[in-house]
Amino acid sequence: MHRAIIFDFDGLLVDTETAIYESWQEVYCRHGESLELETYKQCVGSDFGQFSPETELENRTGKAFDWSTINMEREQIIRDRLAAQDARPGVREFIKKARSQGLHLAVASSSSRAWVAGWLEKLDILKHFHALRNRDDVARIKPHPDLFLAAAEALGIPPGESLVMEDSENGLRAAKAAGIPCAIVTNPVTAGGDFSGALLQAECFTARCIRDLVD
């Protein structure tokens, strides 16, 4: 039995991944290219160390781009599309049930603390988490195990007595490397990935197998 649950953030608690991918698609389209989802998935849950859309576009076009300006434009697109976004269906109920069962909860994300904490505050669910660990806290992010190990340590729960909840292949790799069982809840960007070795896999938090984790 697990005593703690460590959640990813992007794409798991809130579907930010779809808007982020679409922003990259728009950049590629403006330059006569298409960013295939299977190619893009390599960096989901991690960073450009796995795959860089910037480097890929420059290699395809043979051009250099002003990424500072482009990424500011992308960020605005993302924020506009996520302005009214809520937590994914079933997330609030799952978290509340987990807390009622006495489980310790943490978020371990490859994104920045400002991004993650800002969202959790906006959604009024920050209060349910005992710890946050982000890219600011570790030397290596996913698919390395550092974030999940740091979150388990912050909770004071051994990794083997914890459960990771993820949406991406890089997240699953990180959980495996940390020696922590991992349940997968996919989103439109990560659906169809290779989740071999996951404890279980579902498309939403309302799935019976996911609810059973805290029932």
Side-chain angles (χ1 to χ4, degrees):
M1 291 294 293
H2 47 271
R3 297 168 53 202
I5 301 180
I6 304 172
F7 297 82
D8 176 46
F9 175 72
D10 287 291
L12 180 75
L13 300 183
V14 180
D15 183 16
T16 56
E17 295 292 1
T18 298
I20 294 170
Y21 172 54
E22 289 174 350
S23 76
W24 278 115
Q25 282 184 307
E26 291 186 21
V27 171
Y28 271 60
C29 185
R30 289 203 298 266
H31 297 283
E33 297 288 338
S34 175
L35 180 58
E36 300 79 10
L37 181 55
E38 287 304 312
T39 300
Y40 173 75
K41 279 183 181 182
Q42 298 174 75
C43 66
V44 174
S46 184
D47 61 9
F48 288 176
Q50 298 294 109
F51 166 76
S52 171
E54 296 178 358
T55 301
E56 179 72 9
L57 185 58
E58 290 187 342
N59 288 341
R60 290 191 193 183
T61 62
K63 300 176 182 178
F65 297 98
D66 178 2
W67 290 111
S68 177
T69 298
I70 291 173
N71 285 327
M72 282 193 293
E73 293 171 351
R74 280 200 319 106
E75 183 175 342
Q76 190 57 53
I77 291 171
I78 293 165
R79 291 188 181 280
D80 288 346
R81 292 184 181 177
L82 294 177
Q85 190 87 331
D86 195 4
R88 294 182 64 189
V91 163
R92 295 178 188 278
E93 294 79 8
F94 183 90
I95 290 172
K96 289 178 182 177
K97 187 62 180 292
R99 283 298 306 273
S100 73
Q101 297 287 355
L103 296 173
H104 294 262
L105 308 184
V107 171
S109 169
S110 294
S111 293
S112 70
R113 178 175 295 271
W115 172 259
V116 175
W119 266 104
L120 296 177
E121 186 69 49
K122 174 185 176 182
L123 297 172
D124 194 31
I125 57 176
L126 179 61
K127 60 192 175 186
H128 295 302
F129 295 96
H130 300 88
L132 303 181
R133 288 297 179 268
N134 306 90
R135 65 184 315 131
D136 318 82
D137 301 312
V138 295
R140 304 177 303 173
I141 59 173
K142 304 168 192 177
H144 298 288
D146 305 37
L147 278 165
F148 291 137
L149 292 175
E153 182 179 15
L155 292 175
I157 306 292
E161 296 179 23
S162 304
L163 171 71
V164 161
M165 300 205 65
E166 265 286 354
D167 67 297
S168 72
E169 293 175 63
N170 282 319
L172 174 59
R173 293 188 188 105
K176 285 182 175 180
I180 306 176
C182 181
I184 297 292
V185 181
T186 58
N187 58 59
V189 170
T190 62
D194 180 4
F195 297 110
S196 303
L199 179 67
L200 55 88
Q201 179 181 342
E203 296 180 352
C204 60
F205 276 84
T206 56
R208 179 73 260 177
C209 62
I210 298 298
R211 298 204 310 270
D212 284 346
L213 293 172
V214 292
D215 279 346

